[in-house]
Amino acid sequence: RCLAPGALPRRTDPVLKKRDDFEDILEERRNSSDLRYAFKCYTPVLYRGLTPCKAATLKSMVLQSEQLLHVINQVSAESGESTDVVKDEAAAILEEMAHRLQLRTIRFFAYTLSKAFKALYRSVCVNEEGIQRLQQAMQEHPVVLLPSHRSYMDFLMMSYILYTYDLSLPVIAAGMDFLGMKFVGEMLRMSGAFFIRRSFGGDQLYWAVFSEYVKTMLRKGYAPIEFFLEGTRSRTCKSLTPKLGLLNIVMEPFFKGEVFDVNLVPVSMSYERVLEESLYARELLGVPKPKESTSGLLKARKILSEDYGSMHVYFSPPVSVRSLAQGRINRSQFNLTPRHVAQKPSEETQAFVNDVAYRIVRLQQENMVVKPWVLVATLLLQSVEGMELTELMEQTSWLRDLARMFGAFLDWPDHTPCSMVVSSSISLHRNLACVSGSRISLVVEGPQGPETPEEALFNRAVSVLSCASYRNQVLHVFLRPALLAMALSNANSSRKEDIYSCFDFLRNVFSDEFILSPGASVQDFDEACHLLVKCGAVELLHQDVVMAESGRTFFYPSSLKCYEVLSSDLQKNALNALIRLNVVRRVRT
Amino acid sequence: MASIGDGSERQRIAQQRLRVLAGHLRRLGAEERPGVAAQECRAGPRTRRENVPAAPQDIMKWNGWGYADSKFFFNKKGQGEFTGKRYRLSGLILPSLKDWFEGTFGANLQHKSPAVPSLNTSAVAPPSLNEAFVEELKSTGIPFSHDTEDRVFRAHGHCLHEIFSLRDGRVGRCPDMVVWPNCHNDVVKIVELACKHSVCLIPYGGGTSVSSALECPPEETRSIVSLDTSQMNRILWIDEKNLTAHVEAGIIGQDLERLLNESGYCTGHEPDSMEFSSLGGWVATRASGMKKNIYGNIEDLVVHIKMVTPRGVIEKSCQGPRMSTGPDIHHFILGSEGTLGVVTEVTLKIRPIPEYQKYGSVVFPNFQQGVACLREVAKQRCAPASIRLMDNEQFQFGHALKPQVSSIFTSFLDGLKKFYITKFKGFDPHHLCVATLLFEGDREKVLQHEKLVYDIAAKFGGLAAGEDNGQRGYMLTFVIAYLRDLGMEYYVIGESFETSVPWDRWVLDLCRNVKERIVRECKEKGVQFPPLSTCRVTQTYDAGACVYFYFAFNYRGLSDPVHVYEQVEHAAREEILANGGSLSHHHGVGKLRKEWMQETISSVGLGMLKSVKDYLDPNNIFGNRNLL
């Protein structure tokens, strides 16, 4: 047991949801043969409508589909090339894209990953009830797995877990970058990854092949489809604004009545220590992302000797697209065009898909496990110059209680003194924080002793941003109350409407920075009020919202942390917000 | 139909009517004279009953489907039996029915839900009569009645909720009286009087509606008069040169067919309800016949229609086979569901009786292959007179109605057939499905046609499965409605509904999604047993097909089963519409499906229909409130 549910306060609060227990899947790996595990009898339950077919059959089905042939004819008519040429082009695209899932490779990965995971992680905790729900859903309907994306580990881990629990292995949408890695790219392909170009804007043929490929797999229930709504690994560990392309594609078969329902399964993957933590910070500071390469991977094997703590994977209950669409989507709008003719989604549909995407990301966030270190990092960032350990302990314990009250999914060990928990967290993250005497501070020196002032500044920024990436993991818990707190201190009156409009404005300003579902402003406001009232920070008096006497601590004057301004992510979001608010204007694109 | 053509008791009853007709028919048919003379009917005061010879409730069930003497029951040994002498199944033992029935529904022969034995007439509200109307009607000599049984019999169609209430002894708003016009002119008089005295008229033909079309609107405050067309049942003339027949609209399908057969003709229009439904009803609902592939649907069959509306009589001035004279006024009448007036006379196309008829059947490994085959047949435009595809559940149901085999030899043969199909050909008995076929024409062409169709079927993995299976399939059509009454004796309720849908994959996807939706909704609504939800493709067209669903469940443990049933059917209809199916292929809209009319034909379309109604019937004399 990694997390006893008893650790979570259980009240009749809407924010506090009941969550499942966790089971450590590495425990068994440490006690039995990895080889036997890799060669175990693997017989997943399949989608009930499935007639099993090979990856190659799948490809020919796609190439012969009416949908694709229609586009091929169109492209050929527009470009003047013969249909055969265009068909070959489509076949080449598909060849480059398609996965070649085979059990042999999976078994190879099962073996090597077992070794690697045991070296990297203390435990990999999975909610088994979620697995059971998933298994049930997989038999009933086509399933789409939507994990959060914080690390390259994500999709390896997903497949590994599904293999462990004898579930159908997913096919995974991956970026083309991996194909740059000799051998490894192909290995991934054989373990179920299919590769899509990062951008193919106007390429009609590419889009057709791609969407038909995904839809064919979905309609056939060939395998669960896995992709990352956030589109890319979040360098900041904040959830990214969801991308809608693939989500649109997987929902379409339901809209068009080709399947009865599609189940979306949000998966929250939380790492105590992210493999790429300092790489991300560097990237945010403008150091280009190292190109994916096999040699790079081999060089990185030194990380195997490090301790990355524990990891939690939470499978949320499947979300039925059918029930979400009830009353929102009039499916008969799809009746007047033959199904093989692609239709631009209506505004109604787009808004719906967008809402679903936000909802899924929120669900991912909700079940993200928050580690004690996240709280420590949050506090450390408030005093970059360091603080007394005793003060840290005190504040951590305060923040812990507050986070719990706000519904955070906190992994805080039972019956262990706060000081023990904090110090073990610090020791796991000794590359980021160091204790000298009774004080704790961020690690600011580079590993190789003396440095130039530029290097010093850079290294300092790296530690701050690394640390910030941990703090960011708890932001979704405090975001709404924080926006309200800001609104309260900025607004000129205490009238509810004024505070709401200020809140709404701030929501708009920060809508790139955080996951704030469009159209949920009132809900968010209510939730924020509820939480701040609950912790005693504000009082609701008739039509007024006022600061409570006891709540002064919640209204720290905000001081911008200059190092974070260096983050390209923050810069991009700020710029977007300014454009949205018509403060600045895009002159050249 | 072989299955209904030989009931001797029915023949006796028909003889009565025939005698009346014979004189007319011989004279008119030979002279091919326009039927004006025939329409003049004697007026004169009549007392009821003696002058209303065909009181249908005497030979038909008052609270169930069809003839009173024909019904399913389980005998003391628990074997299924079908009573009477009218059908091929009559008097036979059906040994597998019980197992199928108990297995499919989780029903138990010990748990009975019997109907009240007879109508408690005191439970029916007394008629509210419009005295002035009644007085003037009397002077015309048109027979009428306000007898409770007559009124109750015409207060309902055959929707589940209607029959369920009757079995419970509950009766809602009834017509206040029934009139039996004898001819077109009688109808003209009745409609005039109704307009004059502000009486609500509801035309009544065969009473087989399954759209709540006959239900009296409870909010209606005027006196409601049921206009029963059953006495307008003559063939007025037959024109052999143009192959048309002019018929009064009250004639019942099987009578029409039999009378035409006597002259060597047929219309070929055979809806499943043809034993009881009327020509006027077909026109008013846009009916479809099983053999429409050869003969066409009702809209293809009619050449001329006469309808009495509050505004006057509407008809065309000639019988040209096609006209370009603006929108076809027939299409305002076809499907008007009794909201605009009463159809009194119809000229129909007729055909010589086909020389040869042959049934057939094909087994497919699965429904998908079967649909693909039907699609191909439709594409090549070589559909036989009828081609229908049952899904696996219905195939199994068909088997449950197999009568006791007479010899060891036949049972051995059956076993062998089963072995061949399932073991040798590898068909999964839980997936295979059957298409039933009916060929018609001259012998040689039928045999050629048959070969062509079987060759196509073979391409989709279909195996010919014999004439007998085919014939049984069509017989099922007529007895399935009786089976619902059996179910209702044992806590099982059900109903059929239909739609039409374009080919591509929508036929398949629609069938799957609707079935699944039904199963789910049942579960959600607390139905304790898995429902029977099955479908078949009953008509094929160039651009699509008609799909028929059967849905039934065991309602033990539910406090309001009919409400649950209606909720599920409602959900199923939403699912049909969402999957590209139509609101109705041939059952019509009535009051049951009215709520979806706007969505179906757009608000402008609805406005067009309303303006027609407003012009023809500004005071809503035809106030059954169907459709709009």
Side-chain angles (χ1 to χ4, degrees):
Chain A
R1 286 288 142 89
C2 299
L3 188 82
L8 295 168
R10 218 177 287 148
R11 285 170 225 167
T12 54
D13 194 303
V15 181
L16 302 180
K17 299 213 165 70
K18 178 176 174 346
R19 275 127 175 171
D20 305 335
D21 294 351
F22 282 108
E23 205 73 40
D24 178 11
I25 58 166
L26 287 189
E27 200 175 300
E28 205 195 321
R29 290 293 90 252
R30 294 192 206 278
N31 299 324
S32 68
S33 152
D34 287 337
L35 206 58
R36 198 176 306 140
Y37 164 75
F39 285 99
K40 73 171 183 165
C41 171
Y42 169 72
T43 48
V45 281
L46 300 170
Y47 173 54
R48 62 186 166 149
L50 175 73
T51 30
C53 68
K54 293 213 175 73
T57 329
L58 200 65
K59 276 192 236 174
S60 63
M61 268 160 58
V62 173
L63 290 176
Q64 281 155 22
S65 69
E66 282 181 4
Q67 285 81 343
L68 187 54
L69 291 179
H70 177 75
V71 174
I72 286 174
N73 286 333
Q74 262 186 337
V75 170
S76 139
E78 279 164 24
S79 65
E81 294 203 67
S82 79
T83 48
D84 285 339
V85 173
V86 185
K87 259 185 207 168
D88 289 347
E89 229 175 284
I93 294 173
L94 187 59
E95 197 55 38
E96 177 195 69
M97 182 185 303
H99 71 82
R100 280 199 303 276
L101 184 63
Q102 44 172 250
L103 201 54
R104 260 179 303 168
T105 321
I106 297 297
R107 293 196 191 282
F108 167 79
F109 270 117
Y111 180 76
T112 48
L113 287 179
S114 293
K115 297 287 181 211
F117 288 157
K118 280 190 283 187
L120 289 170
Y121 299 117
R122 295 180 192 171
S123 62
V124 172
C125 301
V126 178
N127 65 325
E128 289 201 338
E129 278 166 74
I131 293 285
Q132 280 158 18
R133 288 187 299 249
L134 178 61
Q135 188 181 25
Q136 187 64 35
M138 278 175 168
Q139 292 173 58
E140 303 254 318
H141 302 293
V143 163
V144 179
L145 295 165
L146 299 167
S148 57
H149 204 11
R150 301 286 173 271
S151 166
Y152 279 142
M153 272 305 149
D154 292 330
F155 59 86
L156 295 175
M157 188 52 91
M158 279 293 289
S159 298
Y160 185 83
I161 292 171
L162 295 188
Y163 174 81
T164 304
Y165 285 104
D166 226 16
L167 294 176
S168 291
L169 288 162
V171 289
I172 309 141
M176 204 67 112
D177 338 340
F178 289 103
L179 276 187
M181 301 168 83
K182 279 197 194 66
F183 186 64
V184 174
E186 289 310 308
M187 285 290 283
L188 292 176
R189 194 195 282 284
M190 286 187 283
S191 58
F194 63 95
F195 299 96
I196 41 181
R197 296 179 192 160
R198 282 256 171 244
S199 60
F200 43 89
D203 192 339
Q204 205 190 350
L205 188 64
Y206 192 90
W207 174 260
V209 173
F210 163 56
S211 71
E212 192 47 34
Y213 182 58
V214 175
K215 281 190 265 186
T216 304
M217 291 192 285
L218 187 101
R219 282 194 291 258
K220 293 274 148 198
Y222 175 85
I225 291 165
E226 176 182 324
F227 63 91
F228 298 103
L229 262 182
E230 295 164 279
T232 182
R233 291 170 299 155
S234 166
R235 270 51 168 186
T236 55
C237 283
K238 270 185 307 196
S239 297
L240 303 178
T241 310
K243 305 275 179 294
L244 305 181
L246 252 167
L247 192 61
N248 244 318
I249 292 176
V250 296
M251 282 166 53
E252 205 185 272
F254 164 72
F255 294 150
K256 292 191 170 178
E258 294 167 321
V259 294
F260 184 76
D261 197 356
V262 174
N263 277 344
L264 308 177
V265 180
V267 183
S268 316
M269 311 192 80
S270 6
Y271 297 86
E272 185 161 19
R273 229 188 116 191
V274 181
L275 234 44
E276 296 100 325
E277 73 185 1
S278 63
L279 281 179
Y280 287 160
R282 279 160 212 277
E283 263 186 64
L284 288 172
L285 291 167
V287 178
K289 170 176 112 171
K291 212 167 153 30
E292 285 82 356
S293 73
T294 308
S295 60
L297 181 74
L298 290 174
K299 273 179 212 147
R301 71 183 184 278
K302 69 168 195 302
I303 60 168
L304 287 177
S305 57
E306 289 212 26
D307 182 358
Y308 285 89
S310 63
M311 156 170 200
H312 288 85
V313 182
Y314 194 96
F315 290 84
S316 299
V319 177
S320 145
V321 174
R322 173 175 277 267
S323 359
L324 292 182
Q326 182 74 41
R328 295 257 341 237
I329 295 287
N330 179 8
R331 281 182 288 153
S332 49
Q333 67 181 290
F334 300 93
N335 291 341
L336 292 177
T337 329
R339 285 199 289 195
H340 66 268
V341 179
Q343 273 172 278
K344 202 178 174 320
S346 64
E347 257 172 54
E348 176 201 30
T349 314
Q350 278 173 342
F352 172 70
V353 174
N354 193 41
D355 281 359
V356 173
Y358 271 89
R359 190 191 192 101
I360 298 289
V361 176
R362 286 290 306 273
L363 284 168
Q364 287 174 356
Q365 287 183 331
E366 225 167 66
N367 293 321
M368 211 66 113
V369 169
V370 175
K371 286 295 199 170
W373 168 251
V374 169
L375 303 181
V376 175
T378 309
L379 293 164
L380 273 181
L381 282 174
Q382 294 286 329
S383 20
V384 187
E385 303 314 320
M387 62 202 294
E388 287 296 318
L389 260 178
T390 47
E391 194 194 344
L392 178 72
M393 299 292 172
E394 205 176 287
Q395 290 199 9
T396 307
S397 128
W398 168 80
L399 192 57
R400 176 196 63 195
D401 295 342
L402 191 65
R404 273 184 186 161
M405 194 187 288
F406 284 6
F409 193 5
L410 202 56
D411 179 27
W412 195 280
D414 286 330
H415 319 297
T416 316
C418 183
S419 59
M420 292 263 292
V421 177
V422 171
S423 56
S424 80
S425 291
I426 294 170
S427 78
L428 183 69
H429 294 275
R430 54 185 165 270
N431 60 326
L432 292 177
C434 61
V435 180
S436 52
S438 66
R439 278 188 77 79
I440 174 167
S441 59
L442 283 183
V443 172
V444 285
E445 285 105 51
Q448 293 94 17
E451 50 195 6
T452 64
E454 289 85 358
E455 280 170 348
L457 180 71
F458 182 82
N459 284 332
R460 199 168 168 77
V462 168
S463 338
V464 170
L465 289 183
S466 302
C467 220
S469 76
Y470 288 99
R471 176 209 55 199
N472 288 347
Q473 296 175 22
V474 78
L475 286 185
H476 63 273
V477 175
F478 295 110
L479 170 62
R480 285 157 193 81
L483 288 180
L484 178 60
M486 258 171 92
L488 276 167
S489 28
N490 290 358
N492 297 325
S493 90
S494 62
R495 282 182 51 232
K496 202 170 178 180
E497 298 93 273
D498 296 333
I499 290 171
Y500 172 75
S501 70
C502 192
F503 178 86
D504 192 41
F505 171 79
L506 289 170
R507 239 181 133 267
N508 184 17
V509 169
F510 289 111
S511 60
D512 290 291
E513 190 74 11
F514 306 111
I515 299 299
L516 292 159
S517 317
S521 195
V522 177
Q523 260 164 279
D524 284 351
F525 182 73
D526 288 344
E527 187 188 319
C529 286
H530 171 80
L531 292 176
L532 284 190
V533 168
K534 192 164 103 173
C535 68
V538 300
E539 283 165 12
L540 292 180
L541 306 165
H542 306 293
Q543 288 307 304
D544 286 355
V545 184
V546 292
M547 261 177 239
E549 252 335 286
S550 58
R552 287 288 158 206
T553 43
F554 292 90
F555 302 96
Y556 280 124
S558 48
S559 60
L560 200 59
K561 295 294 168 297
C562 57
Y563 290 103
E564 281 194 76
V565 177
L566 296 173
S567 157
S568 57
D569 180 69
L570 187 66
Q571 290 160 9
K572 189 187 74 204
N573 293 340
L575 192 60
N576 280 339
L578 291 173
I579 292 172
R580 200 171 43 248
L581 296 168
N582 286 325
V583 177
V584 296
R585 189 159 50 87
R586 207 183 284 273
V587 182
R588 198 160 49 87
T589 46
Chain B
M1 297 311 299
S3 55
I4 55 156
D6 49 18
S8 68
E9 195 189 341
R10 200 185 40 60
Q11 240 160 18
R12 186 184 55 75
I13 299 154
Q15 220 79 58
Q16 268 182 330
R17 262 186 240 172
L18 202 61
R19 243 174 278 129
V20 185
L21 282 173
H24 266 317
L25 205 61
R26 244 176 262 123
R27 184 163 47 85
L28 294 169
E31 293 170 22
E32 286 178 19
R33 239 176 43 184
V36 185
Q39 289 170 21
E40 290 185 9
C41 43
R42 284 171 300 108
R46 299 188 244 193
T47 50
R48 75 158 242 90
R49 204 43 87 197
E50 290 79 42
N51 292 312
V52 188
Q57 59 267 41
D58 296 344
I59 57 160
M60 286 166 73
K61 294 194 191 80
W62 69 277
N63 64 353
W65 178 260
Y67 298 108
D69 59 12
S70 301
K71 63 169 191 173
F72 285 99
F73 76 104
F74 289 111
N75 63 23
K76 289 200 180 81
K77 283 192 250 166
Q79 291 168 313
E81 262 187 65
F82 193 61
T83 61
K85 291 186 181 130
R86 295 170 190 275
Y87 299 91
R88 227 164 65 108
L89 220 52
S90 298
L92 294 181
I93 304 263
L94 313 162
S96 358
L97 184 59
K98 174 174 175 261
D99 284 347
W100 175 82
F101 185 72
E102 293 190 330
T104 307
F105 297 108
N108 187 320
L109 298 197
Q110 311 307 320
H111 299 298
K112 292 200 73 175
S113 50
V116 298
S118 60
L119 178 66
N120 175 10
T121 47
S122 63
V124 181
S128 106
L129 296 175
N130 181 318
E131 294 302 337
F133 175 80
V134 175
E135 274 316 302
E136 270 202 67
L137 187 66
K138 262 186 197 156
S139 69
T140 63
I142 299 167
F144 64 89
S145 147
H146 40 77
D147 172 83
T148 309
E149 279 186 23
D150 286 336
R151 289 168 53 218
V152 170
F153 194 80
R154 285 160 188 80
H156 68 87
H158 283 271
C159 284
L160 175 76
H161 66 97
E162 294 171 314
I163 299 301
F164 196 90
S165 310
L166 284 176
R167 287 176 58 91
D168 254 5
R170 283 179 285 126
V171 180
R173 173 85 153 97
C174 284
D176 297 300
M177 62 189 275
V178 182
V179 291
W180 284 273
N182 203 37
C183 60
H184 171 80
N185 288 342
D186 282 356
V187 176
V188 173
K189 284 179 210 156
I190 296 168
V191 173
E192 273 172 9
L193 289 182
C195 292
K196 185 173 166 194
H197 299 289
S198 186
V199 160
C200 171
L201 288 179
I202 297 186
Y204 182 90
T208 55
S209 147
V210 281
S211 58
S212 301
L214 289 169
E215 245 174 43
C216 297
E219 67 272 31
E220 181 59 66
T221 51
R222 298 171 294 185
S223 177
I224 299 180
V225 175
S226 175
L227 190 153
D228 185 323
T229 58
S230 63
Q231 302 313 298
M232 306 199 298
N233 56 5
R234 285 153 291 209
I235 295 178
L236 299 177
W237 46 255
I238 292 174
D239 176 348
E240 287 177 291
K241 292 220 176 66
N242 293 312
L243 285 180
T244 52
H246 191 62
V247 189
E248 288 184 310
I251 196 165
I252 298 301
Q254 58 170 321
D255 297 336
L256 174 63
E257 218 51 19
R258 196 189 55 256
L259 292 174
L260 285 174
N261 286 357
E262 283 167 8
S263 321
Y265 294 103
C266 66
T267 62
H269 185 69
E270 295 183 8
D272 290 358
S273 60
M274 71 173 292
E275 296 170 276
F276 309 109
S277 58
S278 70
L279 171 57
W282 299 340
V283 171
T285 54
R286 293 181 70 89
S288 170
M290 172 181 108
K291 299 195 288 196
K292 71 96 195 152
N293 292 337
I294 294 185
Y295 300 97
N297 286 319
I298 194 71
E299 67 273 22
D300 310 309
L301 283 166
V302 293
V303 176
H304 187 267
I305 305 175
K306 200 189 266 190
M307 178 165 80
V308 182
T309 75
R311 187 60 80 164
V313 175
I314 176 173
E315 65 179 319
K316 292 185 189 173
S317 68
C318 71
Q319 307 208 33
R322 183 183 186 276
M323 298 183 213
S324 174
T325 49
D328 190 340
I329 55 160
H330 282 173
H331 285 286
F332 288 113
I333 301 170
L334 287 155
S336 59
E337 303 194 358
T339 57
L340 302 179
V342 189
V343 177
T344 53
E345 287 170 22
V346 179
T347 308
L348 282 169
K349 295 180 197 167
I350 55 171
R351 299 289 306 164
I353 295 174
E355 174 194 313
Y356 188 62
Q357 253 199 351
K358 192 172 182 191
Y359 289 98
S361 64
V362 183
V363 186
F364 292 98
N366 55 46
F367 193 61
Q368 199 158 356
Q369 298 276 76
V371 172
C373 172
L374 259 64
R375 205 285 162 264
E376 185 59 29
V377 167
K379 198 187 230 167
Q380 297 195 18
R381 292 206 172 161
C382 62
S386 168
I387 178 166
R388 289 178 165 179
L389 181 74
M390 306 188 239
D391 69 359
N392 184 263
E393 288 90 341
Q394 252 177 71
F395 162 75
Q396 306 209 2
F397 164 53
H399 265 254
L401 289 181
K402 241 182 173 173
Q404 205 160 29
V405 284
S406 41
S407 74
I408 299 173
F409 183 65
T410 18
S411 120
F412 172 72
L413 263 185
D414 279 349
L416 213 61
K417 268 189 241 161
K418 194 175 169 194
F419 177 80
Y420 175 73
I421 287 177
T422 58
K423 296 290 179 315
F424 191 73
K425 282 286 172 183
F427 283 20
D428 180 345
H430 297 289
H431 284 123
L432 61 80
C433 72
V434 181
T436 57
L437 310 166
L438 173 61
F439 298 91
E440 258 187 31
D442 60 72
R443 198 181 147 80
E444 203 145 302
K445 276 194 189 142
V446 163
L447 295 179
Q448 269 177 9
H449 194 174
E450 192 185 18
K451 184 171 180 316
L452 179 63
V453 172
Y454 282 124
D455 285 349
I456 294 176
K459 282 188 203 139
F460 295 91
L463 290 175
E467 285 184 62
D468 192 49
N469 277 323
Q471 198 168 1
R472 197 171 45 241
Y474 288 103
M475 179 258 314
L476 270 184
T477 301
F478 292 100
V479 299
I480 200 160
Y482 287 100
L483 211 68
R484 181 171 80 179
D485 292 336
L486 176 74
M488 287 170 99
E489 293 278 323
Y490 298 95
Y491 288 96
V492 173
I493 51 175
E495 177 108 88
S496 59
F497 45 92
E498 42 74 34
T499 185
S500 56
V501 59
W503 280 114
D504 50 352
R505 301 216 341 261
W506 296 14
V507 171
L508 274 177
D509 289 336
L510 177 123
C511 291
R512 184 202 50 229
N513 288 354
V514 172
K515 283 201 232 172
E516 170 109 31
R517 179 79 182 261
I518 288 175
V519 171
R520 280 220 183 177
E521 293 285 334
C522 279
K523 212 182 207 172
E524 271 171 36
K525 302 286 178 302
V527 177
Q528 315 271 313
F529 305 87
L532 172 71
S533 128
T534 136
C535 69
R536 62 179 181 185
V537 178
T538 60
Q539 294 287 15
T540 62
Y541 293 87
D542 287 354
C546 166
V547 182
Y548 220 90
F549 291 91
Y550 288 105
F551 155 50
F553 62 86
N554 182 339
Y555 68 82
R556 284 185 62 210
L558 294 181
S559 60
D560 191 352
V562 171
H563 183 62
V564 170
Y565 170 81
E566 283 172 346
Q567 282 179 312
V568 178
E569 189 189 322
H570 190 272
R573 181 58 62 181
E574 303 247 272
E575 193 61 33
I576 287 173
L577 297 176
N579 283 275
S582 66
L583 189 52
S584 172
H585 171 263
H586 59 273
H587 280 175
V589 176
K591 290 180 270 290
L592 194 61
R593 286 176 275 273
K594 223 164 111 160
E595 64 180 289
W596 290 289
M597 268 302 271
Q598 179 164 331
E599 184 187 328
T600 300
I601 62 169
S602 81
S603 52
V604 176
L606 198 65
M608 282 169 74
L609 295 188
K610 277 194 175 133
S611 68
V612 171
K613 165 82 178 171
D614 288 344
Y615 174 75
L616 285 179
D617 185 15
N619 297 318
N620 197 25
I621 295 301
F622 288 90
N624 59 18
R625 307 201 188 204
N626 291 336
L627 206 60
L628 300 175

